[in-house]
Amino acid sequence: MNNISIRPANVNDVPTIRSIGIITWPATYLSFTSPDFVMDNLNTWWSHDSVSASIADDTTYIAFQNGEAVGTLTVGQFEGEPVIWKIYVVPKAHGCGIGTELMNTALTAIGPAHDVRIEFVKGNSTAQAFYERRGFKFDFEEGMAEGFTTVWLRRPAGPIISVS
């Protein structure tokens, strides 16, 4: 897997995790949202305070490839169920198995006895396909204040699905 390592993040990782967000968000969302949407979310969900809170309140992982930080994932709770809030890999590391390793780390930590939820912005077909290959299925949609739609998926309890 090309020298990939994953570990839980700590407060010293906040600047690194924020840089992952700053790199990934425009590349991920500008093709189907708007610059204002990207900037608003970077300022909200990738701020120092927000990333610090996700490390303190949830479980945030950071992925490294050859010693360089290239991805992050946060696991928390939504309506009493495990949810994966963020999973992002920098574009230059796409296709190297980092997203799969992050997902497997999260699913292993959550355990096979629990359903898991995940959400994405409608129009992010890459994320949708990635999640569906790992057993996530449509749950519901909800409108966002910015005029976009959040799509929620659920993965039923069970073992990790092997994806090649």
Side-chain angles (χ1 to χ4, degrees):
M1 279 287 170
N2 221 0
N3 291 321
I4 298 170
S5 63
I6 297 173
R7 65 167 171 77
N10 62 59
V11 294
N12 296 324
D13 295 315
V14 169
T16 302
I17 292 170
R18 288 189 67 224
S19 72
I20 292 168
I22 290 166
I23 292 167
T24 60
W25 258 69
T28 301
Y29 293 101
L30 280 177
S31 67
F32 61 93
T33 64
S34 69
D36 287 342
F37 176 85
V38 171
M39 286 307 300
D40 288 348
N41 281 277
L42 282 173
N43 290 331
T44 302
W45 302 113
W46 295 93
S47 68
H48 185 275
D49 290 345
S50 181
V51 172
S52 296
S54 75
I55 291 170
D57 300 340
D58 297 318
T59 303
T60 297
Y61 296 96
I62 188 165
F64 297 87
Q65 183 178 39
N66 299 318
E68 179 183 355
V70 293
T72 188
L73 178 146
T74 298
V75 176
Q77 291 283 313
F78 178 72
E79 297 179 344
E81 292 184 309
V83 63
I84 296 172
W85 287 117
K86 294 178 179 173
I87 178 170
Y88 291 98
V89 175
V90 297
K92 71 178 184 179
H94 285 183
C96 296
I98 295 159
T100 296
E101 290 298 315
L102 281 165
M103 180 66 74
N104 289 348
T105 297
L107 294 174
T108 298
I110 293 165
H114 301 281
D115 284 9
V116 181
R117 296 169 116 178
I118 198 163
E119 50 86 26
F120 65 94
V121 178
K122 191 172 195 170
N124 190 346
S125 56
T126 302
Q128 181 176 355
F130 179 85
Y131 302 149
E132 288 175 349
R133 282 192 309 272
R134 284 149 183 87
F136 288 86
K137 304 216 180 299
F138 179 82
D139 194 12
F140 67 95
E141 291 183 354
E142 62 185 348
M144 301 168 73
E146 300 94 339
F148 299 100
T149 301
T150 299
V151 179
W152 284 89
L153 305 177
R154 177 185 301 273
R155 181 186 174 278
I160 294 172
I161 295 171
S162 178
V163 178
S164 49

